[in-house]
């Protein structure tokens, strides 16, 4: 008689135990790591980060778009690895690109699609406008060359040195930064998704240990929607470049409140046709606490100075912020 086939059975390890037994005080997570409720819905724990092991109890940091990939642990599916959720493609000027694809929409820009966001680096980095000391700068198309060249109509008035209040970095070629055999590339932050209130700004960067191009996001607030900034414009003036509230405030996201109060600067408004946009900013990290006790961190744009000008571009033009009219290093940080 035929011998019956034996089937090997696997018993999945149970990582959750009830009733819950939690330490008296929640753990202190490193900066940028979310404090979440574990997968057992029991205790507060530091979320697992990209490349770290995860289980049904040790959950991945969903605030960073991570999930637990169990594909390498078949057939038990007990222990996985925290991985990035597969990104979506991008559409630029009617053309669809795959996630991670690098392309050149024209000879002046080299772009990469990262999870729905397009980050571009200008190829014409050696040309700088003569800025404030040139009475009439013009871009001239050179025969056989992609990149235009800046010229000044009145060559007798050109100063040989840059103005003292303009960083000399604005006139120098941008050297590629090297880090552990990696050419570090970070695109400028995209324009804020909202002209008032809390919005999102994105960029792509490989400034990480893996030298991998990743999409980064930060919150941005150009100006409050509920404040009429025109009332703060001084008599006889048409613009207020920077507005700052008198009292500190807390940032709020989906009911979660920043653990510390802040008094940020905002870009002002004009009563004529000019618009005010930031030209000096940095990125800060703000810690939030939710009503259920969980915590997470978000990067937020911190405005240092704004500039009121007539050149009000379409906020959806991803190439607009790559123009070199200001100190590029200050715009990109």
């Amino acid at each position: 008689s035929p011998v019956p086939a034996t089937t090997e059975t696997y018993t999945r390890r149970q990582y959750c135990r009830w009733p819950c037994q939690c330490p008296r005080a929640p753990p202190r997570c490193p900066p940028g790591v979310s404090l979440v409720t574990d997968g057992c819905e029991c205790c507060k724990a530091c979320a697992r980060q990209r490349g770290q092991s995860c289980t049904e109890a040790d959950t991945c940091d969903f605030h960073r778009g991570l999930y637990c990939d169990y594909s390498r642990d078949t057939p038990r599916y007990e222990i996985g690895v925290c991985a990035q959720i597969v990104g979506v493609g991008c559409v630029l000027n009617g053309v669809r690109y795959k996630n991670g694809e690098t392309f050149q929409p024209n000879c002046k820009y080299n772009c990469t699609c990262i999870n729905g966001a397009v980050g571009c680096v200008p190829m014409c980095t050696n040309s700088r406008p003569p800025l404030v000391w040139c009475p009439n700068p013009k871009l001239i198309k050179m025969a056989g060359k992609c990149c235009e060249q800046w010229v000044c109509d009145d060559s007798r008035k050109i100063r040989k040195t840059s103005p003292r209040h303009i960083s000399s970095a604005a006139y120098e070629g941008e050297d590629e930064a090297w880090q552990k055999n990696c050419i570090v590339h970070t695109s400028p932050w995209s324009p804020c998704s909202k002209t008032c209130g809390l919005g999102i700004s994105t960029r792509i960067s490989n400034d990480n240990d893996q030298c991998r191009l990743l999409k980064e996001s930060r919150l941005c607030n150009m100006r409050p929607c509920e404040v009429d900034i025109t009332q703060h414009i001084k008599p006889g003036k048409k613009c207020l470049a920077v507005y700052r509230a008198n009292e500190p405030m807390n940032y709020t996201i989906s009911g979660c409140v920043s653990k510390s109060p802040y008094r940020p600067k905002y870009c002002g408004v004009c009563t004529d046709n000019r618009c005010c946009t930031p030209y000096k900013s940095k990125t800060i990290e703000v810690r939030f606490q939710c009503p259920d006790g969980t915590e997470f961190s978000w990067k937020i744009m911190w405005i240092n100075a704004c500039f009121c000008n007539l050149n009000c571009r379409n906020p959806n033009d991803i190439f607009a912020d790559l123009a070199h009219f200001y100190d590029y290093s200050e715009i990109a940080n």
Side-chain angles (χ1 to χ4, degrees), residues 130-137 151-163 171:
L131 295 178
V132 296
W133 45 268
C134 177
N136 192 18
V151 297
C152 189
D153 279 358
D154 193 350
S155 59
R156 292 171 300 176
K157 295 184 179 180
I158 296 181
R159 292 172 51 170
K160 292 184 179 180
T161 58
S162 61
Y171 299 90

Side-chain angles (χ1 to χ4, degrees), residues 151-310:
V151 297
C152 189
D153 279 358
D154 193 350
S155 59
R156 292 171 300 176
K157 295 184 179 180
I158 296 181
R159 292 172 51 170
K160 292 184 179 180
T161 58
S162 61
R164 287 193 300 174
H165 65 282
I166 301 295
S167 168
S168 59
Y171 299 90
E172 299 171 359
E174 292 155 24
D175 297 328
E176 293 174 326
W178 286 81
Q179 174 180 302
K180 298 180 181 178
N181 296 325
C182 169
I183 301 178
V184 177
H185 155 62
T186 301
S187 72
W189 288 102
S190 67
C192 192
S193 60
K194 293 186 178 180
T195 56
C196 74
L198 212 56
I200 292 287
S201 180
T202 60
R203 73 177 180 184
I204 59 173
S205 175
N206 65 346
D207 191 3
N208 51 66
D209 293 338
Q210 294 81 28
C211 191
R212 293 186 53 165
L213 277 172
L214 300 174
K215 177 182 176 182
E216 298 179 358
S217 300
R218 70 177 181 180
L219 299 172
C220 48
N221 193 337
M222 297 289 291
R223 57 187 58 83
C225 297
E226 66 279 2
V227 178
D228 183 9
I229 301 179
T230 57
Q231 295 182 355
H232 299 276
I233 299 177
K234 294 181 179 180
K237 300 291 185 179
K238 294 182 177 180
C239 287
L240 177 67
V242 176
Y243 167 76
R244 198 174 197 180
N246 294 327
E247 298 296 329
M249 45 75 72
N250 288 76
Y251 290 104
T252 303
I253 306 176
S254 302
C256 304
V257 181
S258 62
K259 299 186 71 174
S260 301
Y262 296 85
R263 188 168 170 250
K265 290 180 180 178
Y266 302 100
C267 285
V269 294
C270 296
T271 56
D272 53 14
N273 292 326
R274 284 178 288 177
C275 61
C276 295
T277 54
Y279 77 96
K280 285 186 180 180
S281 66
K282 62 181 180 180
T283 303
I284 63 173
E285 191 156 311
V286 176
R287 193 79 177 171
F288 289 85
Q289 187 164 27
C290 303
D292 62 358
T294 60
E295 294 183 7
F296 63 91
S297 294
W298 253 101
K299 292 180 179 178
I300 293 184
M301 174 187 186
W302 186 266
I303 296 174
N304 288 323
C306 298
F307 178 68
C308 296
N309 60 94
L310 287 168

Side-chain angles (χ1 to χ4, degrees), residues 28-200:
R28 295 180 63 89
C29 302
V33 176
S34 302
L35 178 67
V36 298
T37 304
D38 63 19
C40 308
E41 295 294 328
C42 278
C43 309
K44 296 292 186 292
C46 296
R48 310 292 284 176
Q49 301 301 301
R50 185 187 181 116
Q52 294 182 333
S53 60
C54 49
T55 64
E56 62 180 359
D58 296 324
T59 56
C60 299
D61 198 336
F62 57 88
H63 290 118
R64 294 184 175 270
L66 301 179
Y67 76 103
C68 194
D69 181 8
Y70 292 101
S71 60
R72 298 180 185 176
D73 191 27
T74 57
R76 287 181 289 268
Y77 301 105
E78 285 183 6
I79 302 175
V81 177
C82 290
Q84 198 79 35
I85 295 175
V86 177
V88 297
C90 310
V91 177
L92 178 63
N93 297 333
V95 181
R96 181 173 293 277
Y97 300 94
K98 297 179 182 178
N99 181 51
E101 183 177 354
T102 298
F103 58 96
Q104 280 192 255
N106 53 52
C107 63
K108 296 181 181 179
Y109 298 97
N110 189 43
C111 304
T112 304
C113 169
I114 299 292
N115 192 22
V118 176
C120 297
V121 178
M123 305 298 289
C124 303
T125 57
N126 295 324
S127 178
R128 293 292 186 271
L131 295 178
V132 296
W133 45 268
C134 177
N136 192 18
K138 286 187 177 181
L139 269 176
I140 301 298
K141 175 68 177 175
M142 307 296 289
K145 294 185 178 181
C146 171
C147 303
E148 295 93 346
Q149 299 292 321
W150 285 100
V151 297
C152 189
D153 279 358
D154 193 350
S155 59
R156 292 171 300 176
K157 295 184 179 180
I158 296 181
R159 292 172 51 170
K160 292 184 179 180
T161 58
S162 61
R164 287 193 300 174
H165 65 282
I166 301 295
S167 168
S168 59
Y171 299 90
E172 299 171 359
E174 292 155 24
D175 297 328
E176 293 174 326
W178 286 81
Q179 174 180 302
K180 298 180 181 178
N181 296 325
C182 169
I183 301 178
V184 177
H185 155 62
T186 301
S187 72
W189 288 102
S190 67
C192 192
S193 60
K194 293 186 178 180
T195 56
C196 74
L198 212 56
I200 292 287

